[in-house]
């Protein structure tokens, strides 16, 4: 033990005549007794530092992506348990995607108040975004608060409604050699997929939507006529920023009532 040598050296400085290096001497025995206790304490401190360092490196909780990942992993109705004894990390004993109800997340922070604001929504069986119920919102809050670092408050924000994107018309020009029913289904699928994007607070470009539709096999190009959202708001510099953070396309766009298909 390194500690016993330190103790013996200290005693020798104070009482030189007790500097007996014999393994059976009283000085050696006293040193061994205290050394064993001190070494145990130092070992525990070292192990604790390792656990803390490992936990800090593993659970990076400073960025928005941490809270986004945690919210998407939320399993409604399941309790958290310790899944890593080395870092005391919490999680679920069994991962069940069928219970992961959160489909989109946006995160902001109030640094001064040490709070993280989380907006989240779920989706119905048709891929349309829908609000969390009060019970779901409360359960998500309690879950995130357990995973937040000490001193950080969590607010789960629930908008009053999901924003709606509509247009006077959506024009789709397609290659006449392609099947129109197949083109229609692909356009519908693309619209549903687009409204399921994680847009956060950054908004979405109208041109990105048109480009995605234009990339469908057989489609030549696509463009909206007079696209609006949130009851008549026009995009700013081509960017849609829904007041509720999340959006659905007008049902008449999804069912293709407002879509005009032209063969070329």
């Amino acid at each position: 033990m390194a500690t016993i040598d330190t103790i013996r050296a200290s005693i020798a400085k104070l009482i030189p005549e007790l500097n007996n290096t014999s393994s059976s001497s009283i000085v050696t025995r006293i040193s061994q007794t205290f050394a064993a206790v001190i070494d145990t304490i130092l070992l525990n401190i070292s192990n604790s530092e390792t656990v803390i360092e490992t936990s800090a490196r593993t659970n990076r909780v400073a960025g928005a992506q941490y809270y986004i990942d945690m919210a998407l992993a939320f399993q409604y109705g399941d309790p958290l348990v310790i899944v890593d004894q080395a870092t005391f990390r919490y999680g679920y004993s069994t991962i069940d995607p069928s219970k992961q109800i959160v489909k989109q997340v946006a995160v902001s922070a109030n640094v001064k108040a040490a709070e993280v604001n989380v907006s989240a929504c779920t989706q119905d069986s048709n891929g349309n975004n829908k609000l969390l119920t009060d019970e779901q919102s409360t359960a998500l809050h309690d879950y995130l608060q357990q995973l937040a670092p000490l001193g950080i408050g969590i607010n789960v924000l629930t908008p009053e409604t999901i924003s709606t994107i509509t247009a006077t018309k959506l024009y789709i020009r397609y290659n006449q050699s392609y099947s129109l029913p197949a083109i229609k289904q692909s356009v519908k699928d693309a619209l549903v997929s687009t409204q399921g994007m994680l847009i956060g607070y950054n908004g979405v470009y109208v041109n990105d939507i048109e480009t995605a539709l234009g990339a469908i096999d057989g489609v030549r190009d696509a463009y909206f006529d007079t696209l609006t959202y949130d009851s008549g708001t026009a995009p700013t510099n081509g960017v849609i920023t829904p007041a509720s953070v999340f959006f659905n396309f007008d049902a008449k766009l999804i069912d293709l009532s407002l879509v005009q298909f032209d063969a070329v």
Side-chain angles (χ1 to χ4, degrees):
M1 298 181 189
T3 307
I4 188 172
D5 296 329
T6 303
I7 294 174
R8 182 185 286 113
S10 299
I11 292 175
K13 288 181 180 179
L14 294 173
I15 314 174
E17 59 270 23
L18 294 180
N19 188 21
N20 186 337
T21 59
S22 170
S23 60
S24 61
S25 70
I26 187 64
V27 174
T28 298
R29 291 183 178 182
I30 292 174
S31 300
Q32 287 175 332
T33 300
F34 283 100
V37 174
I38 294 172
D39 282 340
T40 299
I41 293 172
L42 291 175
L43 178 60
N44 287 333
I45 291 174
S46 177
N47 288 341
S48 297
E49 290 175 344
T50 300
V51 168
I52 293 171
E53 181 180 1
T54 302
S55 180
R57 292 179 182 277
T58 303
N59 301 316
R60 300 180 184 280
V61 297
Q65 192 61 47
Y66 170 81
Y67 297 97
I68 291 174
D69 292 342
M70 292 301 100
L72 291 174
F74 169 61
Q75 294 183 188
Y76 185 52
D78 286 353
L80 286 172
V81 297
I82 295 177
V83 295
D84 188 336
Q85 294 293 337
T87 62
F88 302 102
R89 180 172 61 86
Y90 280 89
Y92 293 112
S93 57
T94 302
I95 303 301
D96 187 350
S98 68
K99 295 182 178 181
Q100 294 174 339
I101 63 171
V102 175
K103 302 304 179 183
Q104 291 198 52
V105 186
V107 173
S108 64
N110 184 333
V111 177
K112 189 173 183 179
E115 293 179 337
V116 174
N117 300 316
V118 178
S119 296
C121 73
T122 185
Q123 291 176 345
D124 63 20
S125 58
N126 294 318
N128 296 309
N129 295 318
K130 58 182 293 189
L131 301 175
L132 298 176
T133 66
D134 291 342
E135 292 78 10
Q136 291 170 338
S137 182
T138 298
L140 176 62
H141 168 270
D142 295 344
Y143 157 84
L144 290 174
Q145 191 64 73
Q146 289 184 72
L147 298 175
L150 187 65
I152 299 296
I154 300 292
N155 296 317
V156 174
L157 308 179
T158 303
E160 294 183 0
T161 185
I162 300 290
S163 297
T164 299
I165 294 176
T166 189
T168 302
K169 189 75 72 173
L170 168 59
Y171 294 96
I172 302 290
R173 295 198 312 157
Y174 69 97
N175 191 317
Q176 59 185 339
S177 64
Y178 280 72
S179 164
L180 179 56
I183 293 291
K184 287 183 175 181
Q185 186 60 52
S186 295
V187 168
K188 181 176 181 177
D189 292 344
L191 290 172
V192 172
S193 175
T194 298
Q195 68 188 18
M197 292 189 306
L198 293 172
I199 65 171
Y201 289 107
N202 298 319
V204 61
Y205 284 87
V206 176
N207 184 62
D208 286 347
I209 302 174
E210 294 173 337
T211 299
L213 292 170
I216 294 172
D217 195 22
V219 173
R220 300 293 291 273
D221 53 43
Y223 60 95
F224 291 97
D225 179 18
T226 317
L227 183 147
T228 59
Y229 64 99
D230 286 336
S231 302
T233 303
T236 302
N237 298 321
V239 180
I240 302 167
T241 52
S244 67
V245 182
F246 313 113
F247 72 87
N248 288 321
F249 285 107
D250 189 322
K252 292 183 178 180
L253 283 172
I254 296 296
D255 69 16
L256 308 181
S257 299
L258 293 176
V259 183
Q260 179 174 318
F261 293 89
D262 297 315
V264 294

